[in-house]
Amino acid sequence: MSAFAPWQQRVLDSALASLAEGRLGHALLFSGAAKMGKGEVAMRLAQRLLCPTPGADGLACGRCRACQLFAAGTHPDFKFTSFIPNDKGDKLRSELVVDQMRELGHWFSLTPQMGAAQVAMITPANAMNLNASNALLKTLEEPSRDRYLLLVTDRPGRLPATIRSRCQRLEFRPPGKAEALAWLRERGHGEAALAPALHASRGHPGLASEWLATGGLELRRKVLSELNALSEGRQSPIELAQRWLEDEHAPLRLRFAAELALDAAAERLGAGPATGLTVPGDFQMLSAWFDGINRTREQLAVPALRHDLALAGLLLEWRSMSKATAMQGARR
Ligand SMILES: [Zn+2]
């Protein structure tokens, strides 16, 4: 089994300690930012709960029949629930639906086939729609020995409070800077890019590592230079809006644009490092723009809307923000 990152290991250790002391909940909520490896830890714990002969280290033995079936993905007492194909079968649904939760409730009512326990995992748990959440609540209200429900989410606030309150929380916290940098270094990323990547990811090493591997940082640099071109009148807002939205990187571009505005706002207060943005908007303007971009990003999932118009409006605002402040400067 591969070694976990320190922030994963801390969560696993605390879950194993709870289990050893007999106070591990039957409904567990694995929460924390994206790319922190929550699902991997949940799987490792699931395997442990299903293994009848755990080792002295508290982990699954990895050798028994239950462990072999688990590793093969065919353990009859483990159920994994995530997105399923839509009715047409041409793509995955964007929600977890009520039928899935009913099926899960029914499955939990059966006797474990191998005897040790039944473990179900739901990911991402925040994708349950309202009916699905209500159906799951019924299952949660009937706790039973040796039945474990593992919920995994990077947006726990989107789960109904009625569900959250019934779960024991296992929270993944971002590590300190030194630990994060050491981990990124171990992944073989070039030294010079480590700190900028960690900064861009707001201290989340998993995300930083992904961006280093897939060109996310270059995309961020491009967004920065495009915003500067906009401020300086070298770029049309409408043309840029269309370009930003033309491919699957649209949400990431908007995320970077929003965060750059937030960094620039902090810079105005003397509270952050230089961003390299030439837009001189003030703190309030930049904060409002940050909100606007985030709203547009949230709405990208709604296909009926004219995202290009909404975004072009914001980019136009970005340009006038620069002009307004430039004129103020000239009067001084
Ligand atoms: Zn085993």
mmCIF file of all heavy atoms in Angstrom, residues 167-212:
data_model
loop_
_atom_site.group_PDB
_atom_site.id
_atom_site.type_symbol
_atom_site.label_atom_id
_atom_site.label_comp_id
_atom_site.label_asym_id
_atom_site.label_seq_id
_atom_site.Cartn_x
_atom_site.Cartn_y
_atom_site.Cartn_z
ATOM 1 N N CYS A 167 -23.339 12.873 11.758
ATOM 2 C CA CYS A 167 -22.051 12.295 11.350
ATOM 3 C C CYS A 167 -20.930 12.702 12.293
ATOM 4 O O CYS A 167 -20.924 13.799 12.835
ATOM 5 C CB CYS A 167 -21.674 12.785 9.954
ATOM 6 S SG CYS A 167 -22.763 12.223 8.650
ATOM 7 N N GLN A 168 -19.970 11.790 12.436
ATOM 8 C CA GLN A 168 -18.724 12.137 13.117
ATOM 9 C C GLN A 168 -17.810 12.726 12.040
ATOM 10 O O GLN A 168 -17.625 12.138 10.978
ATOM 11 C CB GLN A 168 -18.124 10.868 13.709
ATOM 12 C CG GLN A 168 -16.910 11.078 14.569
ATOM 13 C CD GLN A 168 -16.518 9.765 15.273
ATOM 14 O OE1 GLN A 168 -17.369 8.939 15.606
ATOM 15 N NE2 GLN A 168 -15.231 9.571 15.457
ATOM 16 N N ARG A 169 -17.251 13.894 12.337
ATOM 17 C CA ARG A 169 -16.504 14.617 11.310
ATOM 18 C C ARG A 169 -15.026 14.229 11.328
ATOM 19 O O ARG A 169 -14.393 14.246 12.381
ATOM 20 C CB ARG A 169 -16.662 16.108 11.610
ATOM 21 C CG ARG A 169 -16.088 17.039 10.595
ATOM 22 C CD ARG A 169 -17.121 17.358 9.529
ATOM 23 N NE ARG A 169 -16.747 18.571 8.837
ATOM 24 C CZ ARG A 169 -17.422 19.716 8.892
ATOM 25 N NH1 ARG A 169 -18.508 19.811 9.633
ATOM 26 N NH2 ARG A 169 -17.022 20.763 8.224
ATOM 27 N N LEU A 170 -14.501 13.885 10.154
ATOM 28 C CA LEU A 170 -13.067 13.631 10.015
ATOM 29 C C LEU A 170 -12.537 14.675 9.040
ATOM 30 O O LEU A 170 -12.751 14.590 7.839
ATOM 31 C CB LEU A 170 -12.817 12.224 9.484
ATOM 32 C CG LEU A 170 -13.222 11.101 10.449
ATOM 33 C CD1 LEU A 170 -13.253 9.760 9.756
ATOM 34 C CD2 LEU A 170 -12.263 11.053 11.631
ATOM 35 N N GLU A 171 -11.870 15.685 9.584
ATOM 36 C CA GLU A 171 -11.538 16.841 8.772
ATOM 37 C C GLU A 171 -10.079 16.849 8.310
ATOM 38 O O GLU A 171 -9.168 16.668 9.107
ATOM 39 C CB GLU A 171 -11.832 18.116 9.566
ATOM 40 C CG GLU A 171 -12.044 19.286 8.653
ATOM 41 C CD GLU A 171 -12.569 20.503 9.390
ATOM 42 O OE1 GLU A 171 -13.214 20.329 10.450
ATOM 43 O OE2 GLU A 171 -12.305 21.615 8.911
ATOM 44 N N PHE A 172 -9.898 17.077 7.012
ATOM 45 C CA PHE A 172 -8.556 17.177 6.424
ATOM 46 C C PHE A 172 -8.161 18.645 6.417
ATOM 47 O O PHE A 172 -8.756 19.442 5.713
ATOM 48 C CB PHE A 172 -8.565 16.638 4.995
ATOM 49 C CG PHE A 172 -8.718 15.152 4.913
ATOM 50 C CD1 PHE A 172 -9.899 14.536 5.313
ATOM 51 C CD2 PHE A 172 -7.689 14.360 4.435
ATOM 52 C CE1 PHE A 172 -10.046 13.156 5.245
ATOM 53 C CE2 PHE A 172 -7.822 12.975 4.363
ATOM 54 C CZ PHE A 172 -9.003 12.383 4.773
ATOM 55 N N ARG A 173 -7.152 18.988 7.197
ATOM 56 C CA ARG A 173 -6.709 20.389 7.238
ATOM 57 C C ARG A 173 -5.464 20.567 6.389
ATOM 58 O O ARG A 173 -4.584 19.694 6.391
ATOM 59 C CB ARG A 173 -6.391 20.785 8.681
ATOM 60 C CG ARG A 173 -7.596 20.744 9.585
ATOM 61 C CD ARG A 173 -7.204 20.981 11.042
ATOM 62 N NE ARG A 173 -8.189 20.381 11.924
ATOM 63 C CZ ARG A 173 -9.376 20.916 12.195
ATOM 64 N NH1 ARG A 173 -9.710 22.065 11.645
ATOM 65 N NH2 ARG A 173 -10.236 20.315 12.998
ATOM 66 N N PRO A 174 -5.371 21.717 5.681
ATOM 67 C CA PRO A 174 -4.168 21.946 4.880
ATOM 68 C C PRO A 174 -2.936 22.001 5.784
ATOM 69 O O PRO A 174 -3.008 22.521 6.896
ATOM 70 C CB PRO A 174 -4.422 23.298 4.213
ATOM 71 C CG PRO A 174 -5.673 23.838 4.768
ATOM 72 C CD PRO A 174 -6.348 22.792 5.579
ATOM 73 N N PRO A 175 -1.832 21.419 5.325
ATOM 74 C CA PRO A 175 -0.633 21.356 6.170
ATOM 75 C C PRO A 175 0.076 22.707 6.230
ATOM 76 O O PRO A 175 -0.223 23.598 5.449
ATOM 77 C CB PRO A 175 0.238 20.350 5.426
ATOM 78 C CG PRO A 175 -0.160 20.501 4.002
ATOM 79 C CD PRO A 175 -1.625 20.819 4.009
ATOM 80 N N GLY A 176 1.021 22.834 7.139
ATOM 81 C CA GLY A 176 1.867 24.015 7.200
ATOM 82 C C GLY A 176 2.732 24.101 5.947
ATOM 83 O O GLY A 176 2.886 23.126 5.207
ATOM 84 N N LYS A 177 3.309 25.282 5.721
ATOM 85 C CA LYS A 177 4.022 25.531 4.467
ATOM 86 C C LYS A 177 5.219 24.587 4.271
ATOM 87 O O LYS A 177 5.404 24.030 3.194
ATOM 88 C CB LYS A 177 4.491 26.989 4.447
ATOM 89 C CG LYS A 177 4.883 27.462 3.072
ATOM 90 C CD LYS A 177 5.154 28.957 3.050
ATOM 91 C CE LYS A 177 5.710 29.356 1.699
ATOM 92 N NZ LYS A 177 6.060 30.772 1.624
ATOM 93 N N ALA A 178 5.982 24.395 5.330
ATOM 94 C CA ALA A 178 7.191 23.571 5.199
ATOM 95 C C ALA A 178 6.818 22.135 4.823
ATOM 96 O O ALA A 178 7.435 21.530 3.940
ATOM 97 C CB ALA A 178 7.977 23.595 6.508
ATOM 98 N N GLU A 179 5.787 21.614 5.476
ATOM 99 C CA GLU A 179 5.362 20.247 5.192
ATOM 100 C C GLU A 179 4.844 20.124 3.758
ATOM 101 O O GLU A 179 5.130 19.158 3.052
ATOM 102 C CB GLU A 179 4.267 19.840 6.184
ATOM 103 C CG GLU A 179 3.916 18.382 6.146
ATOM 104 C CD GLU A 179 2.918 18.013 7.229
ATOM 105 O OE1 GLU A 179 3.356 17.740 8.366
ATOM 106 O OE2 GLU A 179 1.709 18.013 6.958
ATOM 107 N N ALA A 180 4.069 21.138 3.337
ATOM 108 C CA ALA A 180 3.511 21.130 1.982
ATOM 109 C C ALA A 180 4.626 21.182 0.936
ATOM 110 O O ALA A 180 4.613 20.428 -0.040
ATOM 111 C CB ALA A 180 2.563 22.308 1.803
ATOM 112 N N LEU A 181 5.618 22.055 1.164
ATOM 113 C CA LEU A 181 6.723 22.175 0.205
ATOM 114 C C LEU A 181 7.529 20.883 0.136
ATOM 115 O O LEU A 181 7.916 20.430 -0.946
ATOM 116 C CB LEU A 181 7.627 23.355 0.578
ATOM 117 C CG LEU A 181 7.025 24.750 0.340
ATOM 118 C CD1 LEU A 181 7.944 25.829 0.892
ATOM 119 C CD2 LEU A 181 6.730 25.000 -1.134
ATOM 120 N N ALA A 182 7.753 20.272 1.298
ATOM 121 C CA ALA A 182 8.511 19.021 1.335
ATOM 122 C C ALA A 182 7.786 17.942 0.537
ATOM 123 O O ALA A 182 8.395 17.182 -0.227
ATOM 124 C CB ALA A 182 8.717 18.577 2.782
ATOM 125 N N TRP A 183 6.466 17.904 0.686
ATOM 126 C CA TRP A 183 5.677 16.896 -0.019
ATOM 127 C C TRP A 183 5.718 17.130 -1.535
ATOM 128 O O TRP A 183 5.879 16.195 -2.315
ATOM 129 C CB TRP A 183 4.241 16.915 0.511
ATOM 130 C CG TRP A 183 3.353 15.878 -0.104
ATOM 131 C CD1 TRP A 183 3.270 14.556 0.233
ATOM 132 C CD2 TRP A 183 2.427 16.077 -1.189
ATOM 133 N NE1 TRP A 183 2.345 13.921 -0.564
ATOM 134 C CE2 TRP A 183 1.810 14.836 -1.442
ATOM 135 C CE3 TRP A 183 2.059 17.184 -1.951
ATOM 136 C CZ2 TRP A 183 0.844 14.661 -2.434
ATOM 137 C CZ3 TRP A 183 1.090 17.016 -2.943
ATOM 138 C CH2 TRP A 183 0.494 15.758 -3.178
ATOM 139 N N LEU A 184 5.603 18.399 -1.936
ATOM 140 C CA LEU A 184 5.659 18.726 -3.368
ATOM 141 C C LEU A 184 7.018 18.365 -3.955
ATOM 142 O O LEU A 184 7.131 17.845 -5.068
ATOM 143 C CB LEU A 184 5.388 20.222 -3.586
ATOM 144 C CG LEU A 184 3.938 20.670 -3.448
ATOM 145 C CD1 LEU A 184 3.837 22.190 -3.460
ATOM 146 C CD2 LEU A 184 3.073 20.076 -4.564
ATOM 147 N N ARG A 185 8.073 18.622 -3.181
ATOM 148 C CA ARG A 185 9.439 18.303 -3.605
ATOM 149 C C ARG A 185 9.548 16.797 -3.850
ATOM 150 O O ARG A 185 10.109 16.348 -4.841
ATOM 151 C CB ARG A 185 10.397 18.733 -2.491
ATOM 152 C CG ARG A 185 11.772 19.129 -2.950
ATOM 153 C CD ARG A 185 12.531 19.815 -1.814
ATOM 154 N NE ARG A 185 12.182 21.212 -1.657
ATOM 155 C CZ ARG A 185 11.838 21.790 -0.498
ATOM 156 N NH1 ARG A 185 11.796 21.091 0.624
ATOM 157 N NH2 ARG A 185 11.535 23.068 -0.456
ATOM 158 N N GLU A 186 8.991 16.010 -2.939
ATOM 159 C CA GLU A 186 9.020 14.547 -3.080
ATOM 160 C C GLU A 186 8.333 14.077 -4.354
ATOM 161 O O GLU A 186 8.634 13.002 -4.874
ATOM 162 C CB GLU A 186 8.300 13.875 -1.910
ATOM 163 C CG GLU A 186 9.139 13.667 -0.684
ATOM 164 C CD GLU A 186 8.266 13.178 0.474
ATOM 165 O OE1 GLU A 186 7.270 12.465 0.216
ATOM 166 O OE2 GLU A 186 8.565 13.531 1.619
ATOM 167 N N ARG A 187 7.349 14.856 -4.827
ATOM 168 C CA ARG A 187 6.628 14.466 -6.053
ATOM 169 C C ARG A 187 7.474 14.743 -7.291
ATOM 170 O O ARG A 187 7.059 14.474 -8.410
ATOM 171 C CB ARG A 187 5.309 15.222 -6.207
ATOM 172 C CG ARG A 187 4.440 15.267 -4.983
ATOM 173 C CD ARG A 187 3.266 14.331 -5.093
ATOM 174 N NE ARG A 187 3.547 12.994 -4.620
ATOM 175 C CZ ARG A 187 3.938 12.672 -3.398
ATOM 176 N NH1 ARG A 187 4.182 13.570 -2.493
ATOM 177 N NH2 ARG A 187 4.117 11.433 -3.066
ATOM 178 N N GLY A 188 8.649 15.394 -7.097
ATOM 179 C CA GLY A 188 9.562 15.605 -8.220
ATOM 180 C C GLY A 188 9.302 16.873 -9.018
ATOM 181 O O GLY A 188 9.786 17.013 -10.130
ATOM 182 N N HIS A 189 8.524 17.801 -8.468
ATOM 183 C CA HIS A 189 8.318 19.069 -9.178
ATOM 184 C C HIS A 189 9.547 19.956 -9.009
ATOM 185 O O HIS A 189 10.216 19.911 -7.986
ATOM 186 C CB HIS A 189 7.091 19.793 -8.624
ATOM 187 C CG HIS A 189 5.815 19.026 -8.758
ATOM 188 N ND1 HIS A 189 5.310 18.610 -9.975
ATOM 189 C CD2 HIS A 189 4.942 18.570 -7.832
ATOM 190 C CE1 HIS A 189 4.191 17.950 -9.785
ATOM 191 N NE2 HIS A 189 3.944 17.901 -8.492
ATOM 192 N N GLY A 190 9.834 20.783 -10.017
ATOM 193 C CA GLY A 190 10.993 21.671 -9.976
ATOM 194 C C GLY A 190 10.909 22.661 -8.827
ATOM 195 O O GLY A 190 9.846 23.224 -8.558
ATOM 196 N N GLU A 191 12.039 22.871 -8.162
ATOM 197 C CA GLU A 191 12.086 23.685 -6.942
ATOM 198 C C GLU A 191 11.510 25.096 -7.133
ATOM 199 O O GLU A 191 10.749 25.595 -6.316
ATOM 200 C CB GLU A 191 13.542 23.762 -6.452
ATOM 201 C CG GLU A 191 13.738 24.468 -5.127
ATOM 202 C CD GLU A 191 13.126 23.714 -3.933
ATOM 203 O OE1 GLU A 191 13.069 22.463 -3.983
ATOM 204 O OE2 GLU A 191 12.703 24.382 -2.976
ATOM 205 N N ALA A 192 11.859 25.733 -8.264
ATOM 206 C CA ALA A 192 11.487 27.144 -8.452
ATOM 207 C C ALA A 192 9.975 27.346 -8.488
ATOM 208 O O ALA A 192 9.475 28.399 -8.104
ATOM 209 C CB ALA A 192 12.113 27.670 -9.747
ATOM 210 N N ALA A 193 9.244 26.329 -8.941
ATOM 211 C CA ALA A 193 7.791 26.496 -9.115
ATOM 212 C C ALA A 193 7.000 26.152 -7.856
ATOM 213 O O ALA A 193 5.798 26.410 -7.793
ATOM 214 C CB ALA A 193 7.328 25.622 -10.281
ATOM 215 N N LEU A 194 7.668 25.560 -6.856
ATOM 216 C CA LEU A 194 6.926 25.035 -5.700
ATOM 217 C C LEU A 194 6.170 26.118 -4.943
ATOM 218 O O LEU A 194 4.970 26.012 -4.716
ATOM 219 C CB LEU A 194 7.871 24.306 -4.728
ATOM 220 C CG LEU A 194 8.644 23.112 -5.292
ATOM 221 C CD1 LEU A 194 9.406 22.421 -4.165
ATOM 222 C CD2 LEU A 194 7.713 22.131 -5.967
ATOM 223 N N ALA A 195 6.909 27.168 -4.541
ATOM 224 C CA ALA A 195 6.270 28.201 -3.724
ATOM 225 C C ALA A 195 5.168 28.937 -4.489
ATOM 226 O O ALA A 195 4.073 29.128 -3.942
ATOM 227 C CB ALA A 195 7.325 29.163 -3.191
ATOM 228 N N PRO A 196 5.405 29.332 -5.775
ATOM 229 C CA PRO A 196 4.298 29.973 -6.513
ATOM 230 C C PRO A 196 3.069 29.072 -6.644
ATOM 231 O O PRO A 196 1.945 29.545 -6.527
ATOM 232 C CB PRO A 196 4.915 30.243 -7.898
ATOM 233 C CG PRO A 196 6.379 30.261 -7.688
ATOM 234 C CD PRO A 196 6.654 29.341 -6.541
ATOM 235 N N ALA A 197 3.300 27.788 -6.868
ATOM 236 C CA ALA A 197 2.162 26.871 -7.022
ATOM 237 C C ALA A 197 1.387 26.765 -5.712
ATOM 238 O O ALA A 197 0.156 26.766 -5.694
ATOM 239 C CB ALA A 197 2.650 25.492 -7.455
ATOM 240 N N LEU A 198 2.128 26.688 -4.611
ATOM 241 C CA LEU A 198 1.465 26.566 -3.306
ATOM 242 C C LEU A 198 0.687 27.844 -2.985
ATOM 243 O O LEU A 198 -0.423 27.801 -2.463
ATOM 244 C CB LEU A 198 2.516 26.286 -2.223
ATOM 245 C CG LEU A 198 1.975 25.777 -0.893
ATOM 246 C CD1 LEU A 198 1.208 24.471 -1.070
ATOM 247 C CD2 LEU A 198 3.103 25.589 0.116
ATOM 248 N N HIS A 199 1.261 28.975 -3.366
ATOM 249 C CA HIS A 199 0.566 30.245 -3.152
ATOM 250 C C HIS A 199 -0.721 30.292 -3.986
ATOM 251 O O HIS A 199 -1.795 30.627 -3.486
ATOM 252 C CB HIS A 199 1.471 31.428 -3.514
ATOM 253 C CG HIS A 199 0.741 32.733 -3.506
ATOM 254 N ND1 HIS A 199 0.385 33.369 -2.339
ATOM 255 C CD2 HIS A 199 0.241 33.489 -4.512
ATOM 256 C CE1 HIS A 199 -0.286 34.473 -2.630
ATOM 257 N NE2 HIS A 199 -0.388 34.576 -3.939
ATOM 258 N N ALA A 200 -0.603 29.902 -5.268
ATOM 259 C CA ALA A 200 -1.774 29.949 -6.158
ATOM 260 C C ALA A 200 -2.885 29.029 -5.667
ATOM 261 O O ALA A 200 -4.058 29.320 -5.844
ATOM 262 C CB ALA A 200 -1.372 29.567 -7.576
ATOM 263 N N SER A 201 -2.508 27.921 -5.032
ATOM 264 C CA SER A 201 -3.514 26.958 -4.571
ATOM 265 C C SER A 201 -4.004 27.285 -3.171
ATOM 266 O O SER A 201 -4.714 26.497 -2.570
ATOM 267 C CB SER A 201 -2.929 25.552 -4.585
ATOM 268 O OG SER A 201 -1.946 25.434 -3.563
ATOM 269 N N ARG A 202 -3.597 28.432 -2.646
ATOM 270 C CA ARG A 202 -4.003 28.839 -1.292
ATOM 271 C C ARG A 202 -3.553 27.822 -0.241
ATOM 272 O O ARG A 202 -4.288 27.484 0.678
ATOM 273 C CB ARG A 202 -5.525 29.009 -1.197
ATOM 274 C CG ARG A 202 -6.093 30.100 -2.102
ATOM 275 C CD ARG A 202 -5.661 31.453 -1.567
ATOM 276 N NE ARG A 202 -6.368 32.567 -2.155
ATOM 277 C CZ ARG A 202 -5.922 33.307 -3.169
ATOM 278 N NH1 ARG A 202 -4.782 33.010 -3.748
ATOM 279 N NH2 ARG A 202 -6.603 34.342 -3.594
ATOM 280 N N GLY A 203 -2.351 27.274 -0.464
ATOM 281 C CA GLY A 203 -1.771 26.376 0.543
ATOM 282 C C GLY A 203 -2.221 24.933 0.462
ATOM 283 O O GLY A 203 -1.974 24.164 1.381
ATOM 284 N N HIS A 204 -2.881 24.561 -0.654
ATOM 285 C CA HIS A 204 -3.340 23.174 -0.774
ATOM 286 C C HIS A 204 -2.408 22.386 -1.687
ATOM 287 O O HIS A 204 -2.474 22.504 -2.918
ATOM 288 C CB HIS A 204 -4.767 23.139 -1.306
ATOM 289 C CG HIS A 204 -5.753 23.581 -0.289
ATOM 290 N ND1 HIS A 204 -6.274 24.846 -0.270
ATOM 291 C CD2 HIS A 204 -6.265 22.951 0.782
ATOM 292 C CE1 HIS A 204 -7.088 24.972 0.762
ATOM 293 N NE2 HIS A 204 -7.094 23.840 1.419
ATOM 294 N N PRO A 205 -1.539 21.549 -1.110
ATOM 295 C CA PRO A 205 -0.499 20.886 -1.900
ATOM 296 C C PRO A 205 -1.038 19.962 -2.984
ATOM 297 O O PRO A 205 -0.421 19.862 -4.055
ATOM 298 C CB PRO A 205 0.313 20.117 -0.858
ATOM 299 C CG PRO A 205 -0.494 20.128 0.388
ATOM 300 C CD PRO A 205 -1.448 21.256 0.312
ATOM 301 N N GLY A 206 -2.145 19.276 -2.732
ATOM 302 C CA GLY A 206 -2.687 18.354 -3.739
ATOM 303 C C GLY A 206 -3.052 19.105 -5.010
ATOM 304 O O GLY A 206 -2.760 18.668 -6.130
ATOM 305 N N LEU A 207 -3.681 20.250 -4.815
ATOM 306 C CA LEU A 207 -4.088 21.078 -5.938
ATOM 307 C C LEU A 207 -2.854 21.660 -6.630
ATOM 308 O O LEU A 207 -2.747 21.668 -7.858
ATOM 309 C CB LEU A 207 -4.971 22.207 -5.401
ATOM 310 C CG LEU A 207 -5.946 22.873 -6.348
ATOM 311 C CD1 LEU A 207 -6.815 21.826 -7.027
ATOM 312 C CD2 LEU A 207 -6.807 23.861 -5.570
ATOM 313 N N ALA A 208 -1.895 22.127 -5.821
ATOM 314 C CA ALA A 208 -0.667 22.694 -6.382
ATOM 315 C C ALA A 208 0.034 21.648 -7.244
ATOM 316 O O ALA A 208 0.499 21.943 -8.350
ATOM 317 C CB ALA A 208 0.254 23.164 -5.258
ATOM 318 N N SER A 209 0.084 20.420 -6.758
ATOM 319 C CA SER A 209 0.756 19.344 -7.480
ATOM 320 C C SER A 209 0.052 19.091 -8.813
ATOM 321 O O SER A 209 0.695 18.911 -9.854
ATOM 322 C CB SER A 209 0.756 18.078 -6.621
ATOM 323 O OG SER A 209 1.377 17.035 -7.317
ATOM 324 N N GLU A 210 -1.278 19.087 -8.789
ATOM 325 C CA GLU A 210 -2.023 18.860 -10.022
ATOM 326 C C GLU A 210 -1.732 19.977 -11.032
ATOM 327 O O GLU A 210 -1.506 19.723 -12.208
ATOM 328 C CB GLU A 210 -3.514 18.794 -9.736
ATOM 329 C CG GLU A 210 -4.313 18.545 -10.991
ATOM 330 C CD GLU A 210 -5.790 18.368 -10.727
ATOM 331 O OE1 GLU A 210 -6.152 17.348 -10.117
ATOM 332 O OE2 GLU A 210 -6.571 19.262 -11.106
ATOM 333 N N TRP A 211 -1.742 21.223 -10.537
ATOM 334 C CA TRP A 211 -1.497 22.335 -11.439
ATOM 335 C C TRP A 211 -0.077 22.293 -12.002
ATOM 336 O O TRP A 211 0.154 22.625 -13.160
ATOM 337 C CB TRP A 211 -1.752 23.665 -10.730
ATOM 338 C CG TRP A 211 -3.208 23.899 -10.479
ATOM 339 C CD1 TRP A 211 -4.252 23.217 -11.040
ATOM 340 C CD2 TRP A 211 -3.798 24.868 -9.597
ATOM 341 N NE1 TRP A 211 -5.441 23.701 -10.565
ATOM 342 C CE2 TRP A 211 -5.204 24.710 -9.683
ATOM 343 C CE3 TRP A 211 -3.279 25.838 -8.749
ATOM 344 C CZ2 TRP A 211 -6.082 25.505 -8.955
ATOM 345 C CZ3 TRP A 211 -4.161 26.632 -8.022
ATOM 346 C CH2 TRP A 211 -5.546 26.463 -8.124
ATOM 347 N N LEU A 212 0.877 21.866 -11.187
ATOM 348 C CA LEU A 212 2.253 21.765 -11.674
ATOM 349 C C LEU A 212 2.354 20.696 -12.760
ATOM 350 O O LEU A 212 3.108 20.835 -13.717
ATOM 351 C CB LEU A 212 3.203 21.437 -10.517
ATOM 352 C CG LEU A 212 3.491 22.609 -9.574
ATOM 353 C CD1 LEU A 212 4.173 22.119 -8.299
ATOM 354 C CD2 LEU A 212 4.347 23.662 -10.267
#
